[in-house]
Amino acid sequence: METRTISTDDGEGHLELNSFRPAAGPAPAGSLPTPGIVVVHGTMINAGLYRPFAGNISRMLGRPVHCYNRRGRAGSSPQPADYSAAMEVADLAAVMRETGSSDVVAHSYGGFVALQAARTLPIRRMVTYDAAVSLSGNLTHRWRPELERSVAAGQLDDAWAHLVQGIEVGGPVAKLPLGVLRMLSILSARTTMGAEMRKLLPTAVAEMRAVLDADAELADFAAVTTPVLMLSGSWSPEYFTETGRQLAAAVPSIEFAVLPGQLHESPLRPGIRLPRAVARFLLAGEGTLRPLPVRRRRLKLGR
């Protein structure tokens, strides 16, 4: 993996970029560089959590895969006060240009950014997983004003509880009473991922606002010509599935499928089913997927 920093087009920030490249092999004389793939991560997390996912896609396709940290986390610039979806689309465009990438893979809030970008950017092929798109106000009731107030007051355990109840990505946990969720927040803050999520709660407020501000009708996506595969997990919240079905029924360039046994956080977990589905769509029938190396288990010898 290579890590570097690129400047944003507005001249006001920079983005940390992690790149995964397949093992180099002999390239035919006069061949062009292999186009890359950009991964756009979700809210309250950073690009580092997608390393196994990105690495598997890179190995199966023999193409470079680039994961960048959106503003407000890790080695990228802070989220600006005038944050907007348009800024996210411009940042994605900059990453694609700087990396020579043609395809986009996006998760959750990243799927929202990618679908906004598909309306204006020349993207060859795109895959989203549980894209957080608001259609005809269907996500409005998931916004909790208490979330924003709690973050402003520094009450992060309360904020986390309201966020989990609102977006329901935690599965059955989201149904628990607020008091129990506050206690779970305190406990999760002792873990590396939990501490990172709490730190990123202020960015989640701005990002959820951006989704609601960009509330759209199906007709708004009619001009999308990029071939898009929208995926959802069978164990993901139903509203992701419903959004994918509606867009696929209305827009000829969009397909939709449900992956059995997959959770909302599947791109962050070990497993090959999701990256294989992504790689197959990006391959577009041009060749075959490369086999992944078999991991050998070490035998422990007793005395």
Side-chain angles (χ1 to χ4, degrees):
M1 186 189 76
E2 305 168 10
T3 300
R4 63 187 175 105
T5 299
I6 65 172
S7 299
T8 57
D9 287 348
D10 59 12
E12 298 179 359
H14 60 270
L15 303 169
E16 183 182 60
L17 181 69
N18 299 321
S19 299
F20 301 82
R21 303 184 187 279
S31 62
L32 296 174
T34 305
I37 301 161
V38 175
V39 174
V40 190
H41 66 76
T43 195
M44 284 182 59
I45 48 180
N46 59 52
L49 297 174
Y50 293 79
R51 290 176 184 174
F53 177 71
N56 282 332
I57 295 173
S58 178
R59 286 187 287 270
M60 283 189 283
L61 292 175
R63 294 171 59 186
V65 177
H66 309 280
C67 302
Y68 71 101
N69 276 302
R70 296 189 292 102
R71 297 198 215 190
R73 64 215 76 212
S76 294
S77 297
Q79 197 179 67
D82 60 347
Y83 174 85
S84 67
M87 184 211 76
E88 291 281 12
V89 171
D91 285 355
L92 173 56
V95 173
M96 293 184 70
R97 183 183 66 249
E98 290 293 324
T99 59
S101 296
S102 60
D103 297 346
V104 173
V105 178
H107 176 216
S108 195
Y109 182 80
F112 161 73
V113 173
L115 285 167
Q116 293 296 314
R119 296 161 68 174
T120 56
L121 300 184
I123 300 171
R124 190 190 73 99
R125 290 178 82 79
M126 175 189 296
V127 182
T128 69
Y129 184 78
D130 283 354
V133 178
S134 182
L135 292 175
S136 303
N138 70 321
L139 298 186
T140 302
H141 71 285
R142 297 191 176 279
W143 169 254
R144 298 286 183 87
E146 299 91 343
L147 166 62
E148 189 167 12
R149 289 198 293 265
S150 297
V151 169
Q155 298 169 343
L156 299 186
D157 294 319
D158 285 353
W160 189 87
H162 287 296
L163 178 69
V164 170
Q165 273 199 347
I167 62 177
E168 295 186 5
V169 294
V173 172
K175 305 296 185 183
L176 295 174
L178 282 172
V180 176
L181 289 173
R182 290 189 195 98
M183 183 58 65
L184 289 177
S185 174
I186 294 171
L187 295 174
S188 69
R190 299 174 183 175
T191 68
T192 301
M193 182 179 293
E196 178 72 7
M197 291 178 70
R198 283 167 59 92
K199 185 171 67 175
L200 292 173
L201 272 167
T203 67
V205 171
E207 290 167 8
M208 289 184 69
R209 281 286 191 190
V211 169
L212 298 180
D213 288 345
D215 183 69
E217 301 297 328
L218 291 171
D220 295 326
F221 293 91
V224 173
T225 57
T226 295
V228 179
L229 173 61
M230 295 186 70
L231 295 171
S232 284
S234 63
W235 294 343
S236 296
E238 180 63 25
Y239 63 88
F240 291 119
T241 301
E242 184 59 28
T243 297
R245 286 184 177 142
Q246 288 185 46
L247 282 169
V251 184
S253 63
I254 297 179
E255 301 176 30
F256 173 72
V258 173
L259 286 183
Q262 301 298 296
L263 300 158
H264 178 70
E265 66 267 24
S266 284
L268 315 179
R269 291 173 172 260
I272 197 60
R273 177 176 288 177
L274 177 55
R276 183 181 286 123
V278 170
R280 281 176 175 163
F281 184 79
L282 296 182
L283 189 64
E286 301 173 358
T288 58
L289 298 181
R290 298 182 179 185
L292 293 175
V294 177
R295 292 184 178 181
R296 296 181 178 180
R297 294 182 179 179
R298 295 181 180 181
L299 296 177
K300 295 182 179 180
L301 302 178
R303 294 186 178 179

